Amino acid sequence: MNHRLDGADAPYWQGLEQGRLLLPRCAHCARWAWPAAHRCGACGHIGVVWEERPLKATLYSWTRTWHRFGMTESLDVPYVSIVAEVADCGVRLMGRMDDPAPADPRIGEALTGRIDATLVGDDRIPAIIWSRTA
């Protein structure tokens, strides 16, 4: 069974496979929650709703990788991995920048995402690829 099709975060992966960013929110107190869970960490309510969010964010952190790791041979080096804070909800997601330009990314700069996939070994995993917003 595909590990992305079960568990509390399954709607996230299914949304990415459909080209949409879906994030969980408590059905009772409306608090955004990540990582996904079946019970709200704030109010204890069981049940979440999944809401589509725009692929807009700010850069929270980043690192540039200069050498390959096992099963990442499909990525051109260097590449920049980031943590992006999704606009208007505070959820932080990992992703990759598609423009590992010589200029270092700046914490807090605006980002726009697109949904694509990353090849890890023989498995195509849905991924958010972020770009600097002009």
Side-chain angles (χ1 to χ4, degrees):
M1 173 180 269
N2 186 324
H3 65 279
R4 293 184 304 269
L5 299 180
D6 61 3
D9 62 352
Y12 170 79
W13 294 107
Q14 292 163 354
L16 290 183
E17 288 173 352
Q18 298 165 3
R20 304 175 340 159
L21 174 58
L22 299 176
L23 294 176
R25 197 171 201 173
C26 176
H28 181 257
C29 73
R31 180 177 179 264
W32 293 100
W34 193 256
H38 297 293
R39 179 184 296 269
C40 178
C43 74
H45 181 77
I46 295 175
V48 297
V49 293
W50 288 83
E51 295 185 16
E52 187 167 0
R53 304 300 303 157
L55 287 163
K56 301 287 183 191
T58 55
L59 182 64
Y60 182 79
S61 70
W62 67 276
T63 186
R64 182 174 286 119
T65 300
W66 292 93
H67 61 278
R68 297 191 192 319
F69 293 95
M71 298 179 58
T72 63
E73 290 81 5
S74 67
L75 296 174
D76 292 331
V77 289
Y79 61 90
V80 175
S81 299
I82 70 165
V83 176
E85 187 169 299
V86 179
D88 301 324
C89 70
V91 170
R92 295 179 185 148
L93 300 175
M94 294 186 69
R96 183 168 43 90
M97 286 190 75
D98 71 351
D99 51 354
D104 288 345
R106 290 183 335 272
I107 302 302
E109 76 179 300
L111 303 171
T112 301
R114 66 180 167 80
I115 298 172
D116 201 340
T118 297
L119 188 62
V120 178
D122 294 330
D123 194 13
R124 287 185 56 82
I125 298 175
I128 301 174
I129 311 300
W130 297 96
S131 299
R132 294 174 169 125
T133 302

